[in-house]
Each structure stands twice: as C-alpha cells, then as structure tokens.
Amino acid sequence: MTTHTVRILMNGVTGRMGYRQHLVRSILAIRDDGGVQLPNGDRIQVEPVLLGRNLEKLEKLARTHDIAEYGTDLDAALADESATVYFDAATTQARKGAILSAIAAGKHIYTEKPIAESVADGMDLVRAAEDAGVTTGVVHDKLYLPGLLKLRSLIDSGFFGRILSVRGEFGYWVFEGDLTPTQRPSWNYRSEDGGGMVLDMFCHWNYVMEGLFGAVEAVTAKAVTHIPQRWDENGEPFQATADDAAYGIFELEGDIIAQVNSSWAVRVDRKELVEFQVDGTHGSAVAGLFGCRVQPRVVTPRPVWNPDLPTDQDFRSQWTEVPDTEEHGNGFRAQWERFLIDLHEGRKHPYDFASGVRGLELVEAGLRSSAEGRRVPITEVRA
C-alpha cells in the first residue's frame, strides 16, 4: 500500500467556515483517519499549510491541531512547489486575485463560493484554469447532505413520477446584536464587504436545483433588507447595506417551478433550518439537512376545505420518514474526498469553476430581477 501525500495551502482558515468545516471537520478529520482510501488500497494523505492575515491566530491554530506550517505570506507559500493544492475561504473580494496567483503558480484549486464577485470575474478564472490545465473545484456541500442524498435517491427511483414543483424554506433569526449577541459576522450585512443574501445563497440554490431537478432557465426575485440597523463585533451600531432576505421563483428545465425563500429575519417553524418540499404526480417529499419524509400517491389524504369547522386531520403525521439505510458523514468532508480522488486520478471534478460561474449567473439574474421588478432569463445574463 502506498500513501500519496497532498500538501494543501489553506487560506482563510481563521474564519468560521474555513476553520470549522474545512479545516477541522474535513482536512484534519481526513488526516487523523489516515487519509482517503483508494480502491487499490493506496491512500491519499493530506498535509495542511495554514495561511491568513493574523499570524497570532494562525500560530494558535497550528499549535492546537499539530500543524507544522503556517504564515501570512501568500506569495512565498505559492512558490513552494511541494504544495500542489490551493484552497480559498478568505473574503470574496480578495478571492479572484489570490486564485489567479495560485493558478499562475501551477496549483490546483478548491474554493468556497461564490468564486468571484461577478460572472465576468468568474469567467476570467475559468479561462485561466483551462489555460493552465489545473483541476478546479467549488464547494457544493449541500448536495452531500443526508437529506438531499435521500431526495436524490427518490428522484433516481422514479418515486415522484413527473416533478411539478419545489418549495424551499431556508434561514433563521440572526440577532441584531444589541440585546443578544449576533450569530453571524457583521460583514454579511454590508454589501461593500461582500455581504448579501442573494450573493451568499443563490449560488447554493443554483447547484441544488441543477444537481437535483434541472438547470435554472429564468428567475423572478425580490431582495430586501428587513433589518436596517445591526451591531458589529465591537458593539457599535451600523447601517445594513446588504439584503438580509431574498424571495425567488426559479423556472427550471422540464417546466418545474421552484420557489425558495431565504431569510436571516425569520423565526423557524420547521423541523430543520432548511427544507425542500418536492411535489410530483406520484408522490411528494420534504427533505432537510438530515431527514426526508414522503407521501406516496396511494396514501395521499383527501382534504376538504371547510372554513366553518376546525380541521380534524393531523397532516404532519401522514408523512413517512425515509430510513437511514447507510451512514453519511460530513458533507464538506465528502466533497473534499471526492475532489482529492478526482485530482489523484486525473479526472475533471464535476463541481468546477464553470459550475461556480453558473451560480453567479443566478445571482446576477436575481439582483437584476429585484432591481428592475421583472422576470430575467438566465440567457440574458449569459449574453
């Protein structure tokens, strides 16, 4: 058995997602489990190199997690030929420049989304990566969630018949920061710092729709700032300049209509923080992060509208939970492992820069739809 070690430059690991999901729950978990096993018995082992702007924070992380190398000099790190992969979880505004530098240094790229601030910038990255012949990957973690994997299985089995519609509900109440500390960094609510619900979540919704139901062909959206004033990490008030909620209608190929509400100003009355209801001619399902409930055609109840009498049906009890027939791990780690295997085998990763650009196309179409109050076909952005 041979161990193939991949040294990964990890930029932005002091942030919430970069640290918790990518460093701790993905790369360090893979390292501590002895690497990713290949079909022939070989293993891909990982060796992270931490990068960022705060040397003190990086030193603390390295000491805590037994990581040998860290630093704040990106150019020096990129010059190290022994490190073959560059990962970016830093700020969106700095992402394009850092990735272009990494591509110029011959690194393969795995990055958080959005991959850039605009479709045009994203296409610059696509062309640079293609010219350099490097493998690229963009985080598509939600496709690896247990609930959506169950949903994928139902689709593949023909459970739904013809899929008619999708309804998604995502979000929770993010405290303003005055009476109760906020749960999210304040930059999320400043457009000048790369914040905004549409930019953050429409990239996700694009790959969820595309990966499960079909490509988005047109969008009608409304982006709003429900909470105009918030308080930052220092307890100082600031005006929110980014949208904190977005309401979208996505027209998918195959005449499927998807409605997705995304909000940081909603109180949760769902089993999970995100749920998708899929209705088809032969059955329906409601999938979240982990669970998935179904109602086949043959056991669908027959409600009757009667505003004069309270309903005597417990509608939620009429759904059946899809059992866990296999164990699913962390979605971020699962995609990291697939990227590393694709890289080792010399295969194109399915969720590459081009996929990331399609997410940005939905972002730009959604923002244009909200600003102009109209339906925007994706081809209009693509042109």
Side-chain angles (χ1 to χ4, degrees):
M1 183 185 76
T2 302
T3 298
H4 309 271
T5 300
V6 178
R7 282 168 50 79
I8 305 171
L9 304 174
M10 303 191 71
N11 191 14
V13 292
T14 57
R16 182 174 58 95
M17 294 295 291
Y19 173 69
R20 186 185 310 170
Q21 296 297 343
H22 291 287
L23 180 62
V24 174
R25 301 199 66 189
S26 297
I27 296 303
L28 293 181
I30 291 171
R31 181 195 69 177
D32 295 344
D33 285 344
V36 181
Q37 186 165 358
L38 297 169
N40 65 357
D42 288 359
R43 285 185 174 272
I44 302 172
Q45 183 55 288
V46 291
E47 186 178 308
V49 177
L50 307 186
L51 298 172
R53 293 175 295 180
N54 189 314
L55 187 62
E56 183 179 350
K57 288 183 178 179
L58 292 170
E59 183 179 17
K60 182 178 179 180
L61 291 182
R63 186 169 57 251
T64 299
H65 298 290
D66 192 24
I67 297 171
E69 296 182 57
Y70 58 92
T72 58
D73 191 334
L74 177 61
D75 291 335
L78 292 175
D80 180 0
E81 295 183 358
S82 69
T84 56
V85 173
Y86 171 77
F87 167 69
D88 194 292
T91 62
T92 304
Q93 297 96 319
R95 185 160 294 151
K96 178 186 176 183
I99 289 178
L100 285 175
S101 296
I103 291 173
K107 310 302 182 188
H108 303 288
I109 311 295
Y110 188 68
T111 180
E112 262 291 351
K113 53 97 221 65
I115 65 170
E117 293 184 276
S118 68
V119 171
D121 285 348
M123 285 305 303
D124 287 343
L125 296 181
V126 170
R127 286 188 287 267
E130 288 177 347
D131 291 344
V134 298
T135 298
T136 66
V138 179
V139 174
H140 282 41
D141 61 289
K142 288 177 175 51
L143 291 177
Y144 294 85
L145 292 170
L148 294 195
L149 288 172
K150 293 173 184 178
L151 189 56
R152 173 80 265 173
S153 179
L154 292 170
I155 294 170
D156 292 343
S157 72
F159 169 82
F160 294 102
R162 180 168 62 88
I163 295 178
L164 308 173
S165 63
V166 182
R167 289 191 293 112
E169 291 285 345
F170 168 78
Y172 49 91
W173 190 269
V174 176
F175 288 100
E176 297 92 325
D178 52 348
L179 298 178
T180 303
T182 186
Q183 314 97 295
R184 290 175 60 81
S186 61
W187 68 262
N188 286 279
Y189 306 97
R190 294 189 293 267
S191 58
E192 62 271 23
D193 292 334
M197 180 62 82
V198 173
L199 180 59
D200 187 9
M201 296 309 302
F202 274 32
C203 292
H204 280 298
W205 303 151
N206 185 76
Y207 72 69
V208 169
M209 298 302 143
E210 187 177 88
L212 293 174
F213 312 109
V216 181
E217 297 180 336
V219 59
T220 304
K222 182 64 176 178
V224 297
T225 305
H226 285 308
I227 309 295
Q229 185 179 50
R230 292 181 179 271
W231 280 256
D232 64 19
E233 290 77 5
N234 298 316
E236 296 295 328
F238 68 94
Q239 291 302 116
T241 55
D243 47 292
D244 58 16
Y247 307 92
I249 299 174
F250 308 140
E251 300 174 34
L252 313 183
E253 59 184 342
D255 295 324
I256 300 172
I257 302 299
Q259 305 170 70
V260 183
N261 297 329
S262 312
S263 178
W264 300 128
V266 61
R267 293 177 176 87
V268 181
D269 183 21
R270 303 183 295 274
K271 288 189 68 174
E272 304 196 51
L273 295 183
V274 61
E275 287 189 340
F276 296 95
Q277 178 163 334
V278 183
D279 291 302
T281 54
H282 292 170
S284 298
V286 178
L289 296 168
F290 298 96
C292 183
R293 309 184 300 280
V294 295
Q295 188 174 96
R297 179 184 185 183
V298 293
V299 296
T300 300
R302 188 174 180 271
V304 176
W305 172 255
N306 187 343
D308 299 317
L309 294 174
T311 182
D312 60 355
Q313 295 192 55
D314 179 3
F315 292 109
R316 287 192 169 178
S317 70
Q318 296 165 352
W319 295 71
T320 303
E321 195 76 30
V322 176
D324 293 308
T325 56
E326 56 182 307
E327 184 176 343
H328 298 291
N330 178 271
F332 288 88
R333 174 177 175 173
Q335 190 182 352
W336 261 109
E337 291 183 347
R338 180 165 184 179
F339 175 78
L340 291 168
I341 293 172
D342 288 341
L343 180 61
H344 178 80
E345 299 293 342
R347 295 192 298 255
K348 178 182 176 181
H349 187 64
Y351 311 119
D352 58 3
F353 277 0
S355 178
V357 168
R358 293 194 295 275
L360 287 170
E361 288 175 342
L362 183 58
V363 168
E364 291 194 3
L367 291 173
R368 186 179 301 182
S369 172
S370 181
E372 300 176 7
R374 65 181 180 90
R375 173 184 180 272
V376 175
I378 297 298
T379 52
E380 190 175 309
V381 175
R382 200 163 287 162

